[in-house]
Amino acid sequence: MVRELSDPRKARSVFVETWGCQMNVLDGRRFVGLLGREGIVEARSAEEADVVLLNTCSVRDKAEQKVYDRIGRLAKLKRERPGMVIGVCGCVAQQEAEGLLARLPHVDFVLGTGRIEALPSVLRRVDEEGDRPCETGFDLDEVVYTPGAVAHAVPHRAGITVIEGCNKNCTFCVVPRTRGRERNRRLRDVVDEARSLVEAGVLEVELLGQTVNAFLDPETGEDLADLLRAVGALPGILRLRFVTSHPRNFSDRLIAAMCETPAVVTALHLPVQSGSDAVLKRMKRQYTRAEYLDLVARLRAAIPSLALSTDVIVGFPGETEADFVETLSLFEEVRFAGVFSFTYSPRPQTAALRWEHDVTSPEASARLVRLEALQQGVQRELNRELEGQTLEVLVEGLDRKRRNSSGRTRCGRVVNIAGESELAPGTLVDVRIERGFPNSLLGRRREEEEAEEGISLKGAADAASAARIPLSLDVQNLP
Ligand code: SAM
Ligand code: F3S
């Protein structure tokens, strides 16, 4: 059956709803870009769209259940507008594949994480042949990626995938199943993509991969250290970040490249997952507590102002109170500037699924509360230490209350700028920090202060912005 389009004179539209990590966020922008080439415009909501794509995450059960709830609610919308197309993409699509089509009759197609570029042809099969395609394979040799077809959401910041998949097989993690084995792009392709983005006005580039520091050019053997130097040398690039790093792959060459590339920000996300050797071993993380702490020491010796953030899981099978206390003590020792903390969630096709889930849910939640209380105290202290300093802030938009302009420091700490509500995203301003809170900073624009004081401190402000501004935290919007 050939599908009847809603109004053939009106441009067709797509709405992408994304859950999960930065890789998913970028994939969502790839969907919009690829369909844009077919004349399909981006809609503001699912309600207005002809095509709705659910770009899903399955890293924890809660994330997966949210997807099913949403698909259920979209069924109602589709009953009212039968011409609407619903596609399930991302990690749940990869994981459940044909099963989704069997269970959910209102889903029109399933597109796995390795088949993003097939989206336009899949949609054509739905429209023209009445098919319900399920595309979920992986091309093991090469990353198929059309750089020009990414519709970046903001003009000043862009992510670039450099490595797809993950070979680590941590025993709790479904990602190697949902994103496949590592596939590297060529360094020169990544640099070319970064160059055209920077030439188009992008100030901040983020290199992405589940284990981004495992990057290895398939032809030349160049690694992430080489890539940082090459992208960091592009004229006009202001900030360069990379996420997510695995502690096991962190070489001294990479630390040297971070130090010697001025665009590289002074923040690093370095998931630790646990502070207990016994738990780390069962997680198959491939490092010990001592090795992690040694890496932190080497990083801090090289970049004293480095702000570290991390991921941690509590309530992993077999985690005793003593193991958990080891995690607390690691957190006291490292003093992370930001943390994503989770209770363990059993996942399909992972090794840990077979193990006794012996930490009860109330116990795991209680541990999470204890850890978060400790962490909030640390963050409040670290952020208070910034009071009185002037930091360079790249404006992102408005704060949560939509009152003040808000942005991030070189290391991604959120700064709300009092008395400023109309700074355009992408504006760079020097902000004097007045208050440090656990999750953000409040400051005032330096120029404004100077005008009020009636003195010119321009020379000093220029010097501050020319220097590598220390501190601040790279808070990912996920995972
Ligand atoms: N590649 C990254 C790394 O090296 O750790 C992280 C990948 S994962 C998408 C993001 C985070 O989700 C992990 O660091 C971990 O803390 C958390 N996570 C993954 N699987 C989980 C599970 N089964 N239960 C709870 N948290 C989980
Ligand atoms: Fe998951 Fe471990 Fe890879 S957390 S993404 S299997 S490094």
Side-chain angles (χ1 to χ4, degrees), residues 21 59-60 166 172-175 209-211 244-247 271 273 285 311-313 340 342-347 479:
C21 62
V59 77
R60 283 169 292 278
C166 179
F172 53 83
C173 186
V174 77
V175 170
Q210 293 295 341
T211 44
T244 298
S245 296
H246 192 286
Q273 313 297 2
R285 284 294 289 180
D311 293 344
V312 60
I313 297 175
F340 293 100
F342 312 102
T343 53
Y344 168 67
S345 167
R347 299 283 64 212

